[in-house]
Amino acid sequence: MAADERRTGYDGTGEGAISPDGCAVEVWSRLPVGDAPDVIEAAVPPGARILELGCGVGRMTHPLTDRGFAVTAVDESPDMLARVRADIRTVRSPIEELDLGERFDVVMLASFLVHAGDVTVRRGLLETCRRHVTEDGCVLVQREGEDWHRTVPRESVIGPDARARLVSATPVGDGVNSVRFEYVFPDGTWTQTFLSRPLSTEAFEQALAEADLVVERYLTADRTWVRARPVL
């Protein structure tokens, strides 16, 4: 993808396609999914219809589908969607512009997307969640940990001989940080730079309230996974 097609403040380097928000498709194809499918499965009804916003290459889409959920996978990157299995319904669209004219039992906004640096984009993301969830459904949101921008630099293991490094989180004004990640594999290194707005629990819950959503409960001990309900 050409640099001028990327979102302002977002960039990525390394071999292969790079999405508009700076994600390397090859990296996201390699990253482990962790326990996210378990968290989601425990929080929603069996066989629920799930709208997954920002599905990427299908890291969570595939295991959720294999567990019997009917997933509609949305992403703005055609290169990401090309990695999603053909038996899964996909939609190419920026999340904040999406309007499918239908509602789902579960709407999922993972990958810390709720921390978009642009407040207008964040509001659009959450309004899309509210627009697509049934009145008795739920919205699952993955948020950053409280110290995510303070514990820098740091490194985590993502596979045999592979590391993810949060290199820096640099303030750029208006409460937003420019964050730089490096993903180091034996056969190559990829980077991603993106804008992220840290949100306290109070600020996060206020952002949900602006979209007529309310926290029902935090699903994990670190409070990074949240189940919200539409305000009726």
Side-chain angles (χ1 to χ4, degrees):
M1 171 164 289
D4 60 0
E5 292 181 287
R6 293 180 194 159
R7 292 177 179 254
T8 301
Y10 295 72
D11 201 4
T13 65
E15 184 177 354
I18 305 292
S19 70
D21 59 356
C23 291
V25 173
E26 182 60 32
V27 168
W28 286 90
S29 297
R30 301 183 185 194
L31 289 179
V33 70
D35 64 355
D38 297 330
V39 172
I40 296 161
E41 183 176 30
V44 304
R49 295 181 68 238
I50 298 176
L51 178 64
E52 183 185 3
L53 303 175
C55 67
V57 298
R59 290 169 59 249
M60 286 188 281
T61 319
H62 296 147
L64 290 173
T65 299
D66 291 343
R67 295 180 191 207
F69 296 103
V71 183
T72 295
V74 178
D75 205 279
E76 66 180 340
S77 167
D79 298 300
M80 289 286 193
L81 290 176
R83 302 287 182 105
V84 178
R85 290 196 324 238
D87 62 309
I88 295 169
R89 178 192 181 192
T90 60
V91 178
R92 181 188 174 190
S93 174
I95 297 169
E96 63 270 31
E97 298 176 9
L98 184 71
D99 190 349
L100 295 177
E102 56 186 294
R103 293 181 181 245
F104 296 78
D105 306 315
V106 180
V107 179
M108 188 167 65
L109 185 70
S111 302
F112 316 118
L113 294 174
V114 73
H115 292 272
D118 187 330
V119 172
T120 301
V121 170
R122 183 190 71 204
R123 288 173 178 158
L125 300 178
L126 292 173
E127 287 168 0
T128 293
C129 292
R130 180 64 180 86
R131 183 164 56 247
H132 288 89
V133 68
T134 60
E135 296 304 304
D136 59 349
C138 66
V139 175
L140 302 184
V141 182
Q142 185 184 26
R143 60 190 290 255
E144 297 170 349
E146 296 285 351
D147 63 345
W148 198 82
H149 290 258
R150 296 192 296 269
T151 310
V152 180
R154 67 175 182 270
E155 181 175 284
S156 59
V157 176
I158 54 175
D161 301 319
R163 300 289 186 275
R165 297 171 180 160
L166 174 55
V167 178
S168 59
T170 305
V172 293
D174 189 33
V176 177
N177 290 336
S178 177
V179 179
R180 179 179 173 86
F181 261 95
E182 289 181 353
Y183 299 94
V184 181
F185 293 85
D187 60 341
T189 296
W190 287 262
T191 71
Q192 182 187 12
T193 301
F194 57 95
L195 299 180
S196 180
R197 180 180 297 273
L199 296 171
S200 66
T201 298
E202 181 181 10
F204 169 72
E205 293 184 358
Q206 178 58 38
L208 292 183
E210 291 174 0
D212 289 331
L213 296 167
V214 62
V215 171
E216 182 179 45
R217 68 184 177 94
Y218 289 87
L219 301 173
T220 52
D222 61 6
R223 297 167 69 88
T224 57
W225 276 100
V226 185
R227 187 170 70 190
R229 295 284 186 184
V231 176
L232 302 179

